[in-house]
Amino acid sequence: MDGTLPAVAEELLKEIKKAFQETSHGRDTFSFRLKFIFGPSAVPALDLVDQRSVTRVTSPSGRTAYQVLGSSGKLYTCYSSCHFCTCPAFGFTVLQKSESLLCKHILAVYLSQAMGACQELSVSEEQLTSILLAEEEDEG
């Protein structure tokens, strides 16, 4: 998260993480605040977390990306380090129109990190490169 979101959003995600570390629950406690800060992305993002749709992909060098299986069945690559998702909604509503702080996929990544709900996948450097290049080929 590291300063890529407004302070209020960062603080809420920290509170969620703390609540889950201490009690292993808290979704209902934070739903209203999530909806208030993140708008219509909040509920679909929580659904993605519930469905365990977020996978943290790591390589031996320590490079990390996240893959989120969207509700449409398409796999999107998210980068929490730079607050970016490859989905069309991120490009349109976040980057072009500035209507949202983020899309449901990147919010699901942040929530999965906070709740300790990420799937884990270790891949070789070549496999991670293929994952990253596959996204570019889809766009090109």
Side-chain angles (χ1 to χ4, degrees):
M1 292 169 265
D2 304 318
T4 57
L5 293 173
V8 69
E10 291 275 348
E11 192 58 36
L12 177 58
L13 291 169
K14 285 178 189 174
E15 286 181 34
I16 291 170
K17 183 175 185 172
K18 184 177 178 187
F20 271 82
Q21 287 173 338
E22 293 173 357
T23 64
S24 299
H25 67 285
R27 174 187 167 142
D28 295 334
T29 307
F30 294 100
S31 287
F32 177 75
R33 289 193 276 174
L34 284 167
K35 289 176 198 172
F36 182 77
I37 292 172
F38 296 108
S41 299
V43 172
L46 286 167
D47 289 342
L48 289 171
V49 173
D50 286 346
Q51 295 166 12
R52 309 265 309 153
S53 296
V54 179
T55 302
R56 180 176 182 247
V57 182
T58 56
S59 68
S61 68
R63 292 190 303 165
T64 301
Y66 290 84
Q67 289 192 310
V68 180
L69 183 61
S71 52
S72 66
K74 181 155 174 40
L75 200 58
Y76 297 105
T77 301
C78 299
Y79 308 93
S80 63
S81 61
C82 62
H83 181 67
F84 182 80
C85 179
T86 58
C87 77
F90 185 85
F92 187 68
T93 61
V94 177
L95 298 179
Q96 286 183 345
K97 296 184 90 182
S98 297
E99 291 178 350
S100 262
L101 289 173
L102 34 76
C103 67
K104 66 182 179 183
H105 308 108
I106 195 76
L107 180 55
V109 167
Y110 292 146
L111 291 171
S112 289
Q113 289 172 330
M115 297 174 184
C118 284
Q119 308 253 20
E120 297 287 334
L121 177 63
S122 295
V123 297
S124 69
E125 299 298 333
E126 293 79 16
Q127 289 170 312
L128 184 59
T129 300
S130 293
I131 290 169
L132 301 177
L133 290 176
E135 290 296 333
E136 288 180 8
E137 291 170 5
D138 288 347
E139 294 168 8

